[in-house]
Amino acid sequence: MSVKDKNIVIGICGGIAAYKITYLVRSLVKAGANVQVILTAEAKAFVTPLTFATLSKNPVYSDYFDPHTGVWHNHVDLGLHADLLLIAPATANTLSKMAHGGCDNLLLATYLSAKCPVMCAPAMDLDMWAHPSTQDNVSRLKSFGNIIIAPTSGELASGLSGEGRLAEPEDIFQTIYNFFSDALPLQGKKALVTAGPTHETIDPVRFIGNHSSGKMGFAIAEALQRLGAQVVLVSGPTALKTPDNVQQLHVISAAEMLSQVEHHFDDADIIVMSAAVADYTPIEVATTKIKKKEDVFTISLRKTTDILATVGARKSSKQTLVGFALETDNELENAKGKLARKNLDYIVLNSMQDQGAGFAVDTNKVTIIGKDLNKIHLPLKSKMEIARDICEIIVDHQLIISEQS
């Protein structure tokens, strides 16, 4: 599969980089795509509708209604029938409106109506791109599942040099091509990944938690996305940046993580449960700060719902389920027991005895055990490299599932 016969809507915003989209439209049409262009009013100050109508071989839309022809441009129809909506260049103003539901032109109305995947290629001056409000808007759009084609560094229209330059047309074309390509082994697959700790509230200022940084889960989410999967990442509190083109859902407690996992589980082909979920949570949560009075203080705890066992019980034969086990003693036997009890396809064993492995570090050393009890020992590597190794095993398992279907 490629871009041939794909319906691609390209929204062009008002910025000097708009001229570069002429090359992109030409390349897409040449590759067999059906391209429909929407220009914002500001974009027409930089490029003309006639140019894009000539290149796309389709009329160019800008307003809801054309007074000359009497034609109503239906934004719902545009959004429903597109295979992909690309907004490029995406200005800071448009990104902000997209992130917060603004709808004051045809392009934004089409975006809000779109049922297809959405890509954004931002372009702006380096200080605008680096501004916290812009970065917050980008993070918000990623959380919606929008794909961000990151700007590059280089000479900008202001005369300054830095990050904010529109990705080159050939790179945007390649991103689109890869998106529709069968070459990526997990293209068309949906993945659910959990990461980080959970915090179980004691009172308004205290909680029970653990030392998980989320780095392993985030690396797995990124690796799966690069292999073509559509990834939902459910993460407890971390300081990590959301991987590009991954939808991150933020949770705090084990109960919140369970709710999100159950909501997304049935749609997922691949489930990797790497979060360090609390085993116990306070029975009662104080509404005000508990004062330090007693020398010995007792909190009554109850077990949290075992998320991994819950999803293992409802796993279908078409899903790949991977769990993690962090052990301090009798590691191998404990991991094998967990593998069987929770109906996992694979379990990734961490030992706290291994130097450079475990929580809050950038490296890991693991043993991957399959349902057949075959073991793969991976030496100390970066967590990103470990993530790629785990994902290779997932790809192979998904291939076996496809062959058996």
Side-chain angles (χ1 to χ4, degrees):
M1 188 186 296
S2 66
V3 298
K4 189 176 188 316
D5 299 325
K6 295 297 180 184
N7 295 316
I8 300 175
V9 176
I10 300 181
I12 302 174
C13 304
I16 187 61
Y19 81 91
K20 291 185 176 183
I21 307 304
T22 58
Y23 302 103
L24 175 63
V25 170
R26 185 175 182 275
S27 297
L28 288 169
V29 171
K30 189 174 180 181
N34 177 39
V35 178
Q36 177 64 65
V37 174
I38 302 174
L39 295 177
T40 65
E42 293 77 13
K44 290 190 288 186
F46 296 92
V47 290
T48 68
L50 178 60
T51 298
F52 284 101
T54 303
L55 291 171
S56 69
K57 301 180 175 59
N58 280 316
V60 172
Y61 300 146
S62 183
D63 300 308
Y64 291 103
F65 178 75
D66 187 337
H68 302 293
T69 63
V71 174
W72 171 259
H73 301 145
N74 192 328
H75 60 280
V76 175
D77 190 60
L78 285 168
L80 286 176
H81 292 91
D83 295 303
L84 175 71
L85 171 59
L86 167 70
I87 300 176
T91 60
N93 182 48
T94 293
L95 290 173
S96 177
K97 291 177 180 179
M98 290 170 64
H100 295 91
C103 186
D104 60 1
N105 59 39
L106 180 63
L107 174 56
L108 289 167
T110 302
Y111 166 70
L112 290 175
S113 302
K115 300 296 185 184
C116 62
V118 177
M119 293 184 180
C120 296
M124 63 199 73
D125 203 54
L126 74 165
D127 293 320
M128 295 174 69
W129 173 248
H131 196 279
S133 61
T134 303
Q135 291 303 307
D136 283 348
N137 290 333
V138 169
S139 295
R140 187 173 173 84
L141 290 173
K142 286 180 181 178
S143 76
F144 297 162
N146 295 169
I147 298 169
I148 305 298
I149 303 174
T152 61
S153 292
E155 186 177 352
L156 303 169
S158 64
L160 299 174
S161 184
E163 193 173 14
R165 181 185 177 95
L166 180 72
E168 292 303 316
E170 55 267 32
D171 294 328
I172 298 175
F173 176 87
Q174 193 61 51
T175 299
I176 295 171
Y177 185 89
N178 288 346
F179 182 80
F180 289 114
S181 175
D182 286 335
L184 295 173
L186 295 179
Q187 189 69 44
K189 301 291 185 179
K190 293 184 178 181
L192 173 63
V193 180
T194 66
T198 65
H199 290 175
E200 308 303 318
T201 301
I202 297 172
D203 66 16
V205 298
R206 300 180 181 92
F207 61 85
I208 298 171
N210 58 60
H211 297 298
S212 174
S213 65
K215 290 179 179 180
M216 192 70 251
F218 275 60
I220 290 169
E222 181 177 342
L224 287 169
Q225 190 280 325
R226 288 182 178 180
L227 291 169
Q230 183 179 337
V231 182
V232 173
L233 172 62
V234 181
S235 174
T238 77
L240 301 177
K241 179 183 176 183
T242 304
D244 288 342
N245 306 321
V246 167
Q247 181 183 0
Q248 183 176 350
L249 303 175
H250 299 272
V251 298
I252 296 175
S253 68
E256 291 174 356
M257 183 168 285
L258 172 65
S259 176
Q260 289 293 351
V261 167
E262 288 191 315
H263 181 72
H264 292 278
F265 180 81
D266 290 336
D267 290 335
D269 302 288
I270 299 157
I271 306 97
V272 182
M273 307 290 285
S274 66
V277 183
D279 294 319
Y280 292 90
T281 190
I283 292 175
E284 294 184 4
V285 177
T287 57
T288 59
K289 181 182 176 182
I290 299 170
K291 298 300 182 181
K292 185 172 62 176
K293 297 178 180 178
E294 297 87 355
D295 290 336
V296 177
F297 179 69
T298 302
I299 300 175
S300 296
L301 305 174
R302 65 167 174 263
K303 275 189 177 182
T304 57
T305 302
D306 190 324
I307 301 177
L308 191 54
T310 299
V311 297
R314 61 192 272 194
K315 184 181 83 72
S316 77
S317 59
K318 295 184 178 180
Q319 292 176 307
T320 301
L321 178 58
V322 181
F324 275 67
L326 180 61
E327 302 291 343
T328 58
D329 56 84
N330 201 20
E331 294 99 334
L332 197 56
E333 290 309 310
N334 285 337
K336 287 180 180 179
K338 189 174 183 180
L339 174 73
R341 287 194 314 275
K342 303 190 180 183
N343 193 30
L344 310 180
D345 294 298
Y346 299 95
I347 192 161
V348 181
L349 171 62
N350 286 118
S351 172
M352 289 295 286
Q353 308 301 327
D354 292 327
Q355 190 71 27
F359 289 150
V361 293
D362 294 324
T363 54
N364 213 349
K365 179 182 179 183
V366 304
T367 298
I368 303 171
I369 308 168
K371 186 173 283 189
D372 57 5
L373 299 185
N374 281 340
K375 296 183 289 293
I376 300 173
H377 300 284
L378 299 180
L380 190 68
K381 300 181 181 184
S382 72
K383 286 186 174 175
M384 194 67 239
E385 289 175 301
I386 294 288
R388 294 191 191 105
D389 291 336
I390 293 170
C391 289
E392 283 183 15
I393 292 170
I394 291 171
V395 168
D396 290 342
H397 190 257
Q398 280 288 303
L399 183 59
I400 292 170
I401 291 173
S402 297
E403 290 173 348
Q404 290 174 346
S405 299

